[in-house]
């Protein structure tokens, strides 16, 4: 006669050892069950990694940033001192880009010129985003007379022509006869770009806040007693950053071109600063006999602007759910 206790041990499984594995989410593949939910930025990064346009533009941007931060990695030449005996000597093995009118190495000046163009544009965009974004959030969230006052102030600055306003500002504080240092010159150019560029960012942020502040999660947070600061920082700002990221990336390229334009006109960056716009200004009178003086700084300028514009386009496509 068999032992009933032994039979029960064989026929009855233990509670901690189920007979079959039931998937937690049946109907989904194994890799889908393991993936964590992604947010807007996570989905955007996943799409960006698949775009060749993103990698090409990001590679050029990283190259320009390295040139701006560590110019000695690319050249050992002197960008400011030259010899008149080498004036307008054409490119050769000793000087890849030739020498300018004052006998300075054009290649070294192009490399060191990236610092002024990149630093001025990045700091200008940061200031523009900070001022315009803050005023846009306040105007859109508060509404009423606050929105009306801030919008009218933005309209006043928005009505100023960009180049004309920059000419007035820089001619007044950085005109002929002034003895500003290198960083004072850069600071004045940055201030003029920020002062004339923030209204666009303010309007963009204001419209994003107006479209978001009546969402269900904002209303729920307000009903639960969340403070205004918490609602803005934790709920509004993260959900309104997408259009600002796109515009800010494109605006870096635009400000590089704006700085070069002002420097070309002789009212932007000046000596002792080295920038692509200054090089183009110095080469304009020698376009026929020495076209290389204009070609190389112009090529670097156009490549930098296009790189940031292409990156902004790739980011826009990644953040826009209608284009996925």
């Amino acid at each position: 006669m068999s032992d009933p206790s032994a039979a029960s041990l064989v026929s009855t499984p233990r509670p901690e050892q189920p007979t079959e594995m039931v998937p937690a989410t049946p109907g989904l593949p194994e890799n889908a069950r393991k993936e964590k939910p992604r947010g807007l930025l996570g989905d955007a990064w996943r799409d960006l990694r698949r775009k060749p346009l993103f990698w090409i533009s990001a590679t050029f941007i990283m190259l320009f940033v390295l040139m701006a931060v560590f110019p000695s990695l690319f050249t050992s030449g002197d960008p400011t001192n030259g010899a008149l005996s080498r004036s307008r000597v054409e490119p050769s093995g000793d000087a890849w880009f030739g020498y300018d009118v004052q006998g300075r190495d054009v290649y070294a000046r192009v490399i060191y010129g990236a610092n002024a163009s990149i630093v001025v544009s990045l700091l200008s965009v940061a200031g523009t985003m900070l001022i315009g974004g803050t005023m846009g959030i306040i105007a859109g969230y508060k509404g009423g007379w606050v929105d009306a006052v801030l919008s009218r102030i933005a309209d006043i600055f928005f009505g100023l022509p960009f180049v004309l306003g920059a000419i007035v500002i820089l001619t007044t504080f950085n005109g002929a006869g002034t003895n500003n240092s290198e960083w004072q010159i850069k600071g004045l150019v940055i201030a003029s770009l920020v002062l004339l560029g923030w209204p666009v960012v303010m309007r963009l942020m204001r419209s994003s806040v107006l479209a978001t502040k009546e969402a269900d999660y904002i209303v729920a947070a307000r009903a639960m007693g969340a403070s205004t600061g918490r609602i803005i920082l934790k709920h509004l700002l993260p959900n309104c950053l997408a259009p600002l990221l796109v515009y800010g990336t494109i605006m870096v390229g635009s400000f590089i071109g704006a700085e070069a334009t002002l420097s070309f006109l002789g009212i932007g960056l000046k000596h002792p600063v080295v920038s692509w716009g200054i090089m183009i200004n110095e080469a304009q009178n020698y376009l026929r006999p020495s076209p290389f003086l204009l070609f190389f700084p112009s090529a670097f300028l156009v490549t930098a602007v296009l790189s940031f514009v292409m990156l902004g386009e790739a980011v826009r496509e990644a953040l826009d759910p209608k284009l996925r």
Side-chain angles (χ1 to χ4, degrees):
M1 188 173 180
S2 61
D3 187 358
S5 60
S8 63
L9 289 175
V10 175
S11 60
T12 304
R14 294 181 181 181
E16 63 270 13
Q17 294 179 349
T19 56
E20 60 179 359
M21 300 296 294
V22 179
T25 54
L28 293 177
E30 186 68 21
N31 58 353
R33 294 197 298 269
K34 292 181 180 179
E35 288 184 358
K36 295 181 180 180
R38 295 184 301 271
L40 177 62
L41 295 180
D43 289 336
W45 172 241
R46 183 184 181 187
D47 292 340
L48 282 175
R49 289 182 299 178
R50 302 175 182 177
K51 295 180 179 294
L53 185 66
F54 166 75
W55 290 111
I56 294 173
S57 59
T59 301
F60 277 108
I61 290 173
M62 288 301 300
L63 181 63
F64 287 122
V65 171
L66 286 176
M67 289 168 52
V69 179
F70 305 106
S72 58
L73 294 177
F74 299 88
T75 180
S76 59
D78 190 347
T80 56
N81 298 317
L84 292 177
S85 59
R86 303 177 303 194
S87 178
R88 292 195 292 120
V89 174
E90 296 185 354
S92 62
D94 296 332
W96 294 352
F97 293 175
Y99 294 96
D100 65 0
V101 181
Q102 300 183 20
R104 297 169 296 190
D105 190 350
V106 176
Y107 175 73
R109 289 179 62 79
V110 167
I111 297 297
Y112 279 87
N115 178 275
S117 299
I118 298 297
V119 169
V120 167
S121 61
L122 289 179
L123 292 180
S124 299
V125 169
T128 301
M129 300 282 282
L130 180 62
I131 296 176
T134 302
M135 296 187 68
I137 290 178
I138 295 174
Y141 186 78
K142 289 295 185 180
W145 67 269
V146 177
D147 184 16
V149 171
L150 293 180
S151 297
R152 298 296 78 78
I153 294 175
D155 290 341
I156 294 173
F157 283 90
F158 194 77
L160 295 174
F162 188 89
V163 176
L164 179 60
I167 290 175
V168 173
I169 296 172
L170 294 175
T171 303
T172 303
F173 297 100
N174 193 34
T178 57
N179 190 22
N180 296 321
S181 64
E182 180 177 350
W183 278 105
Q184 286 176 332
I185 296 173
K186 291 181 180 179
L188 289 171
V189 175
I190 292 171
S192 63
L193 294 176
V194 171
L195 189 63
L196 297 171
W198 70 266
V200 180
V201 177
M202 184 264 185
R203 286 187 172 186
L204 187 62
M205 176 59 82
R206 175 181 174 273
S207 62
S208 298
V209 172
L210 289 176
T212 308
K213 72 174 185 178
E214 299 300 333
D216 293 339
Y217 57 90
I218 301 294
V219 176
R222 193 181 297 115
M224 293 176 65
S227 63
T228 301
R230 180 176 179 84
I231 292 176
I232 291 176
L233 295 178
K234 297 293 184 180
H235 301 288
L236 272 180
L237 188 60
N239 291 280
C240 297
L241 278 180
L244 256 68
L245 289 176
V246 176
Y247 183 72
T249 307
I250 298 175
M251 190 164 52
V252 174
S254 300
F255 278 177
I256 292 176
E259 177 273 318
T261 301
L262 296 175
S263 300
F264 174 80
L265 294 175
I267 59 172
L269 300 179
K270 298 180 179 180
H271 182 79
V273 183
V274 180
S275 76
W276 296 329
I278 294 176
M279 297 180 66
I280 295 173
N281 181 25
E282 294 174 349
Q284 62 178 326
N285 296 325
Y286 304 94
L287 180 58
R288 287 180 178 272
S290 303
F292 63 90
L293 296 178
L294 180 66
F295 173 77
F296 291 111
S298 300
F300 275 70
L301 174 64
V302 172
T303 304
V305 173
L306 286 179
S307 298
F308 281 101
V309 171
M310 289 191 301
L311 180 63
E313 182 66 21
V315 173
R316 184 185 70 84
E317 293 179 358
L319 290 175
D320 192 349
K322 298 179 181 179
L323 299 177
R324 295 178 186 171

